[in-house]
């Protein structure tokens, strides 16, 4: 055995020995331990519902109340200007729960919007269009541009939920390996784009109506008529896509890859051989061209309904785009712009022959949504309980008063807010579950000190994204670990998280700076018609 081999094995053992990783290993172990203590998100929401029932009874018994900060005559404001906690632990509360259990669920905004959007995306995904587009994007890049295109493709892949995790991340590792680069660097770059850049995208995807629906429910605790559309963060998330690609490339090439060093084939847990990603065939290219042309035609038709002053999808009362049927129905356009090009691609590429293939694609995607639907049922009850008892409003008012008292009501509050969201994300990895828990508290609270729900949601998305790659609680973390272990046997959770930590740190700083520059320095809206400040 050579000295170099012995040195390599010694280094590998040092990386994988928790005792030799010091405070960082203890920190990671603590995060994993805390996360494992939490029950399943569905169970968590069920327990939260029980807690609200009991706590609202106690608060009502103690006479907890606050002065309503809304102006006199505002909708939902009591005549005496006092907001009191209403008990669910009472005969009236029990009657309300029984009478509203179904409507709380069916009326929960994210339920229908996400399912409708996913129907369209499912056609594009199952026809193979999204996979072919991703392979074409990455494999068509020059060697100098491979890293940036991997990260960029990772961000864009979020439109199709798990596609980035299942397809792009293993593919990126193979591409880097075939180029003589460290495969874990490719895996890390793709993982950073897919997961740490989760909320950024060039297009409005399924996550946008999901989060905006929860934000709207939370905002209506304070302002019953407030509407939050799926498009409200589009501008900021679109520009964020390019920032994530640049930052991800910098971290990969300047920090992660030099740290990993030259790849040693002996570290692999399987015989790698010559790895090759399937090339995009001529038929797939024809399919992509026709799908792209179809997409442009659809966009042109949609533009005729909104760009001219006579556009039929403009607001018919004001003539403006703001609060127009076009923006209110953005989920319908997500469905159309994915489903039709996806079907055209399938016909040209030979992956879809008739309407049954489209129906099968939609059915398969709906079949995977069982867990989400169950989660939404309990999350909807939690949000409705929080709203009906006035607990959310009371906590928001008291929190806003505290922030103003300590002088923390300026834009700097968003640094702390993003940090809190990132910390919560370490133990509660689901974006919808986390926002369903935190939005009813933070959205009204920050509205009361003057910030619009659209801006609050944009800040939340930063915190929710940047720590995805360093939490074992993220749903795909086990899959990533399995792929990484193929290239480095006995690779531990700590080693993977240590590899991804630089992405979290750089993304947190860079993305937060972009948020401040975009929103407060340049005064740009985070999305079409989105307000920065809330004026009741």
């Amino acid at each position: 055995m050579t000295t170099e081999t012995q040195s390599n094995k010694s280094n590998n053992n040092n990386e994988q020995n928790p005792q030799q990783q010091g405070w960082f290993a203890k920190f990671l172990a603590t995060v994993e331990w805390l996360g494992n203590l939490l029950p399943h998100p569905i169970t968590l929401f069920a327990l939260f519902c029980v807690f609200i029932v009991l706590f609202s009874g106690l608060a009502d018994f103690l006479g907890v109340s606050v002065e309503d900060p809304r102006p006199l005559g505002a909708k939902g404001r009591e005549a005496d200007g006092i907001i009191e906690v209403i008990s669910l632990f009472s005969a009236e509360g029990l009657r309300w729960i029984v009478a509203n259990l179904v409507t709380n669920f069916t009326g929960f905004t994210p339920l229908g919007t996400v399912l409708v959007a996913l129907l369209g995306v499912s056609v594009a995904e199952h026809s193979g269009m999204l996979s072919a587009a991703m392979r074409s994007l990455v494999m068509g890049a020059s060697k100098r541009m491979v890293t940036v295109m991997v990260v960029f493709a990772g961000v864009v892949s979020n439109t199709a939920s798990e596609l980035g995790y299942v397809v792009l991340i293993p593919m990126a590792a193979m591409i880097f390996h075939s180029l003589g680069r460290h495969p874990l660097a490719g895996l890390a770059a793709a993982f950073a784009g897919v997961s740490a850049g989760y909320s950024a995208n060039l297009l409005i995807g399924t996550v946008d109506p999901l989060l905006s629906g929860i934000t709207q429910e939370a905002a209506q605790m304070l302002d019953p008529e407030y509407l939050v559309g799926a498009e409200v963060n589009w501008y900021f998330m679109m520009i964020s896509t390019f920032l994530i690609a640049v930052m991800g490339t910098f971290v990969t090439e300047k920090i992660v890859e030099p740290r990993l060093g030259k790849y040693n084939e002996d570290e692999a847990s399987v015989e790698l051989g010559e790895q090759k990603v399937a090339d995009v065939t001529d038929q797939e290219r024809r399919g992509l061209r026709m799908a792209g042309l179809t997409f442009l035609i659809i966009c042109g038709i949609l533009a005729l309904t909104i760009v001219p002053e006579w556009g039929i999808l403009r607001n018919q009362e004001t003539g403006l785009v703001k609060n127009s049927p076009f923006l209110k129905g953005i989920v319908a356009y997500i469905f159309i712009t994915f489903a039709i090009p996806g079907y055209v691609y399938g016909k040209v590429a030979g992956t879809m022959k008739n309407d049954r293939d489209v129906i099968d694609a939609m059915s398969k995607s709906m079949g995977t949504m069982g867990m989400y639907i169950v989660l939404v049922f309990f999350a909807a009850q939690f949000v409705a309980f929080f709203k009906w008892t006035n607990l959310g409003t009371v906590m928001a008012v008291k929190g806003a008063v505290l922030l103003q008292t300590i002088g923390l009501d300026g834009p700097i509050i968003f640094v702390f807010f993003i940090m809190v969201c990132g910390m919560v994300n370490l133990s509660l990895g689901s974006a919808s579950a986390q926002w369903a828990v935190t939005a009813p508290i933070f959205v009204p609270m920050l509205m009361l000190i003057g910030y619009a729900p659209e801006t609050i949601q944009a800040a939340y998305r930063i915190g929710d994204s940047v720590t995805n790659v360093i939490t074992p609680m993220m749903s795909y973390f086990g899959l990533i670990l399995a792929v990484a272990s193929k290239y480095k046997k006995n690779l531990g959770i700590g080693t993977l998280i240590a590899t991804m930590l630089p992405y979290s740190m750089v993304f947190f700083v860079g993305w937060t700076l972009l948020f401040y520059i975009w929103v407060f320095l340049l005064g740009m809206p985070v999305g079409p018609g989105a307000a920065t400040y809330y004026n009741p």
Side-chain angles (χ1 to χ4, degrees), residues 298-354:
I298 293 172
C299 289
I301 295 172
L302 291 177
L304 289 176
T305 68
I306 193 68
V307 174
E309 292 184 1
W310 46 263
I312 59 173
L313 292 182
R314 281 177 171 261
N315 187 316
Q316 296 302 296
E317 295 179 1
T318 63
L320 302 175
V321 177
K322 185 177 181 180
N323 294 327
S324 65
F326 180 84
L327 293 182
K328 291 179 181 178
I330 200 73
V331 174
Y333 311 128
I334 296 175
F335 172 82
I336 292 170
T337 53
F338 277 96
I340 297 178
Y343 178 68
V344 169
Y345 171 88
K347 288 290 288 185
V348 176
T351 56
M352 284 188 165
K353 296 181 174 58
N354 50 45

Side-chain angles (χ1 to χ4, degrees), residues 59-82:
D60 179 54
F61 176 76
L62 296 175
V64 176
S65 64
V66 293
E67 186 175 342
D68 197 329
R70 291 173 290 188
L72 190 66
K75 186 175 181 180
R77 191 180 191 275
E78 297 294 336
D80 61 0
I82 300 297

Side-chain angles (χ1 to χ4, degrees), residues 50 52-53 61 69 88 119-120 177 182 195 248 259 277 319 321 340 349 353 370-371 450 457-458 487 503 512 522:
V50 173
I52 289 177
V53 171
F61 176 76
L88 278 172
L119 285 173
H177 182 253
H182 203 298
S195 203
R259 178 179 178 273
V277 180
V321 177
I340 297 178
K353 296 181 174 58
M371 185 73 73
Q457 178 181 283
Y487 296 95
Y503 293 102
T512 302
L522 299 179

Side-chain angles (χ1 to χ4, degrees), residues 409-524:
D409 53 353
I412 192 67
I413 186 63
F414 284 101
V415 173
F416 297 99
F417 175 57
I418 293 170
M419 289 177 64
V420 168
C421 293
M423 292 298 292
V424 172
N425 190 49
L426 289 174
S427 297
L428 191 60
S430 168
S432 56
Q434 183 191 161
W435 193 224
V437 171
T438 54
I441 299 171
F442 285 109
V443 170
M445 184 189 301
L446 296 178
M447 285 173 69
L448 285 171
I449 60 175
Y451 298 103
E454 298 91 330
T455 303
I456 301 166
Q457 178 181 283
Y460 161 75
R461 296 175 75 164
I462 298 173
D464 172 62
S465 298
V466 296
T467 55
N468 276 336
V469 292
I470 60 170
T471 171
M473 299 302 108
M474 198 271 295
S475 56
Y476 287 98
F477 197 86
L479 173 64
I480 307 305
L481 187 63
V483 175
S485 298
K486 176 181 176 182
Y487 296 95
K488 190 168 185 176
K489 54 191 171 187
N490 301 322
L491 180 123
I493 290 177
T495 304
L496 180 57
I497 296 181
T499 301
M500 301 308 302
L501 184 60
Y503 293 102
S504 285
M505 297 171 67
V506 172
F507 283 16
F508 171 80
V509 174
W511 211 346
T512 302
L513 282 174
L514 175 66
F515 177 77
Y516 269 82
I517 292 170
W518 184 267
V519 175
F520 298 112
L521 187 60
L522 299 179
M524 301 289 286

Side-chain angles (χ1 to χ4, degrees), residues 147-171:
T147 307
V148 68
M149 294 311 296
V150 163
V151 182
F152 181 79
V155 177
V156 174
S157 73
N158 293 324
T159 306
S161 59
E162 77 276 359
L163 187 67
Y165 292 102
V166 176
V167 176
L168 180 64
I169 292 176
M171 184 176 76

